[in-house]
Each structure stands twice: as structure tokens, then as C-alpha cells.
Amino acid sequence: GDLGRRGDNSAVFLHSAYDVQIYPRPDEVYACGSPEVALPLPEDPRDIRPCPQQAETVRQEAARISLALQGATVKSTGACYLPGGSADGLPIIGRIPMAPNAYIACSHTCWGILNAPATGQALAELIADGSSTQVDLAPFAPGRGNRLGKLFAALR
């Protein structure tokens, strides 16, 4: 019954084949998961549509762990692709090498929801002050050995 109470900053990660994550909020609960890895990324983002069976799987997984969620009404469903892309699995955060006033923060995969505040603060410091005091961004540099790093090198 306390899931989503005011001030609750919990996140629940279910260990199952569906990778369901539950994020309680004061007035609602956000649940996501059930990744589909076999479908290619469509050219037009408007072609990304939620699969009703996967949405139902997420609802069932959330209801499985909370009596409060068993009878909950689903307000909306959506679909997206996890923003991955780095060979080492780390996010890509920093100044784009060949563009002095361009910055990037991507490839957080499912950890973007949790890491967004720290990423935003670090990137804001980098843009405003030239470096981040809160996060060492060296491990996340855009030019390291990943697909974007190779793309940046090819564009030089």
C-alpha cells in the first residue's frame, strides 16, 4: 500500500525474463520493461508502437509484487528503444571532439532514469565551466573506442 507514497524515491528492479522496473511517484507508478531485441530500429520514430502483449506482461509483473498495483488502471502505454551504442557499455558523455560547442549525453540504456540527474549536472558544469567537479567524465568520453568514437574520428 505504501508504493508511491510522497517522498518515496524507490526504484524496484525485478529479476525476471522481462527486466521490469518500477518507479513509484506520489500520484502514480511508472513501470517499464519487457524489451524486444529482435526488432530493427525503424527509420521513422512514429513507427515505434507499443506491443499490447508486452504492455500486459509489464502490468502483470508489477501486479505480481504489489497488492496496490493488482487493480491499478493503466493510464498509458508506450514503446521505445534503449539508447545503447558504446562497446564498453558505459554512457557517452562530453564534448563532441570535432565540434567545440557541441555536447552529447547518451547510451545510458536502462540506467538513464536513475543517472539522468548526475549526467545533467556534470554536463551543465562541463558546458558552463569547462569541466565537471561532481563526476569524472573521462571514462565516458565521446572519443573513446565505441561506435560514436569511430564516427567522430571518420568525420575529422
Side-chain angles (χ1 to χ4, degrees):
D2 286 342
L3 201 58
R5 68 185 181 277
R6 186 164 302 286
D8 183 352
N9 293 321
S10 300
V12 179
F13 295 85
L14 302 183
H15 181 67
S16 74
Y18 308 107
D19 296 321
V20 172
Q21 303 164 30
I22 301 170
Y23 301 92
R25 300 295 180 254
D27 59 344
E28 65 186 1
V29 176
Y30 173 76
C32 61
S34 192
E36 173 61 66
V37 295
L39 296 175
L41 183 64
E43 289 290 325
D44 187 337
R46 293 173 293 194
D47 291 337
I48 300 171
R49 305 248 191 272
C51 170
Q53 293 84 4
Q54 288 176 300
E56 178 59 18
T57 296
V58 171
R59 190 202 64 74
Q60 288 175 3
E61 286 286 293
R64 181 174 60 89
I65 61 109
S66 171
L67 292 175
L69 296 178
Q70 286 181 359
T73 301
V74 176
K75 288 173 40 175
S76 66
T77 61
C80 66
Y81 282 76
L82 284 176
S86 66
D88 58 12
L90 293 176
I92 300 168
I93 308 168
R95 184 185 322 265
I96 295 176
M98 79 296 284
N101 292 317
Y103 298 82
I104 190 168
C106 65
S107 296
H108 289 72
T109 66
C110 64
W111 298 104
I113 291 172
L114 293 175
N115 291 327
T119 297
Q121 182 176 7
L123 199 57
E125 285 184 329
L126 180 63
I127 293 168
D129 303 330
S131 66
S132 171
T133 61
Q134 299 298 312
V135 177
D136 176 11
L137 293 177
F140 310 109
R144 70 184 196 279
N146 56 51
R147 286 186 285 195
L148 283 178
K150 292 174 186 168
L151 173 64
F152 296 148
L155 293 173
R156 287 185 190 167

